[in-house]
Amino acid sequence: MSPNHLSRPFTPDERRQLEQLLTDSPSAAKRFNTGLENALVAWAVSMLVIMVVWLCVVWLARRAMAWEIGWHSPYALWMVLILLASTAAWAIVSSVRWMKGWKDYRPELKADLDGGQVMEERYRFTAAKRFQEPEHGGLLYCFHTDDDRVFVLYDSESQDLGAADGNPLESSFQASSELCLVRALRTGFVLITQFSGTPLEVGVPSELNLPPKNWPQPETYCDIPWGELETRLSAA
């Protein structure tokens, strides 16, 4: 363990945050209902799209070759049944895959509550840069640590402002030279992010041109050297 990382008992406020996270986590029944709703919506949308395509094919067949394969043809009932079955199967399979990617954090949250411990992490920064994503204008901050590494934080307030047609640059996020971050041990969820020390100059944000799946992970170190941030994150 780093000398700047200390495992300690959680405070009453930190415990309440974990309890709230556990309360907000969907139960098995809610997860099933959400998956069912997703499957029904996917089924309805896929059926609508395929039916529109089928009607276009029917019209073309009737106009170009005088073929009748529409509602009044002997194939109509079988076509509808095949479409219903195939789209239902697709909707179910896609929803099951989606649900499998939806991790259930409740066992780990319960373990965090039972363990009664959190990790208090302290960082010292010498400089900061910020990048702005194009869709809502949310800000991503990169900090240069005193051991020449890059630590990443997202400014969720700026994202919320941009999504609400506000100005993301009016966020109250203040980058400073010292950071205390409190993290749950099992889930890794961050409960507290508190800056102190000297405010850091961040300047005008650079564009964040990478697709979201390639953004650096928040609340941890990234493997991009400090001097390559603009080249790697702002690449068109």
Side-chain angles (χ1 to χ4, degrees):
M1 184 185 300
S2 166
N4 295 323
H5 290 32
L6 173 66
S7 177
R8 61 163 175 78
F10 53 43
T11 66
D13 180 63
E14 291 160 358
R15 179 182 179 84
R16 282 191 293 270
Q17 289 189 61
L18 286 169
E19 289 173 339
Q20 188 61 51
L21 287 170
L22 180 59
T23 300
D24 294 341
S25 295
S27 63
K30 186 175 181 179
R31 289 161 60 86
F32 175 81
N33 289 336
T34 302
L36 180 60
E37 291 172 2
N38 183 78
L40 291 174
V41 171
W43 187 24
V45 171
S46 60
M47 272 297 299
L48 177 61
V49 171
I50 290 179
M51 289 301 292
V52 170
V53 172
W54 182 40
L55 291 175
C56 291
V57 172
V58 168
W59 182 84
L60 288 173
R62 185 180 297 129
R63 290 294 298 270
M65 292 172 284
W67 288 356
E68 180 55 60
I69 57 173
W71 294 113
H72 301 295
S73 75
Y75 312 107
L77 178 59
W78 288 107
M79 181 65 71
V80 170
L81 292 176
I82 291 171
L83 291 178
L84 285 172
S86 59
T87 53
W90 173 82
I92 292 171
V93 170
S94 62
S95 295
V96 169
R97 289 177 177 173
W98 174 67
M99 289 181 65
K100 285 183 177 179
W102 186 6
K103 184 176 179 179
D104 185 2
Y105 287 100
R106 288 175 302 153
E108 293 180 0
L109 283 167
K110 291 176 182 178
D112 278 328
L113 284 166
D114 292 340
Q117 298 280 313
V118 292
M119 182 68 70
E120 185 174 291
E121 305 172 6
R122 294 189 176 273
Y123 303 89
R124 294 183 61 86
F125 305 131
T126 60
K129 297 177 181 179
R130 59 180 176 175
F131 297 82
Q132 190 167 33
E133 56 90 6
E135 184 175 0
H136 296 301
L139 298 170
L140 179 153
Y141 284 78
C142 294
F143 295 89
H144 189 214
T145 66
D146 57 0
D147 58 352
D148 196 28
R149 301 172 75 182
V150 174
F151 191 85
V152 178
L153 288 175
Y154 291 178
D155 178 7
S156 58
E157 183 182 345
S158 67
Q159 183 79 15
D160 293 340
L161 284 169
D165 296 326
N167 184 358
L169 299 181
E170 294 179 355
S171 169
S172 61
F173 189 101
Q174 176 61 66
S176 299
S177 60
E178 298 180 18
L179 172 67
C180 177
L181 187 149
V182 178
R183 193 189 305 267
L185 291 179
R186 292 292 297 273
T187 59
F189 291 162
V190 173
L191 307 177
I192 294 175
T193 303
Q194 185 174 17
F195 282 103
S196 61
T198 306
L200 296 175
E201 178 61 41
V202 292
V204 177
S206 301
E207 289 188 28
L208 181 61
N209 290 328
L210 297 178
K213 65 179 181 179
N214 294 334
W215 293 357
Q217 292 297 308
E219 298 154 352
T220 188
Y221 295 107
C222 77
D223 58 2
I224 303 176
W226 178 255
E228 298 179 15
L229 286 171
E230 287 84 358
T231 303
R232 301 272 291 274
L233 298 182
S234 297

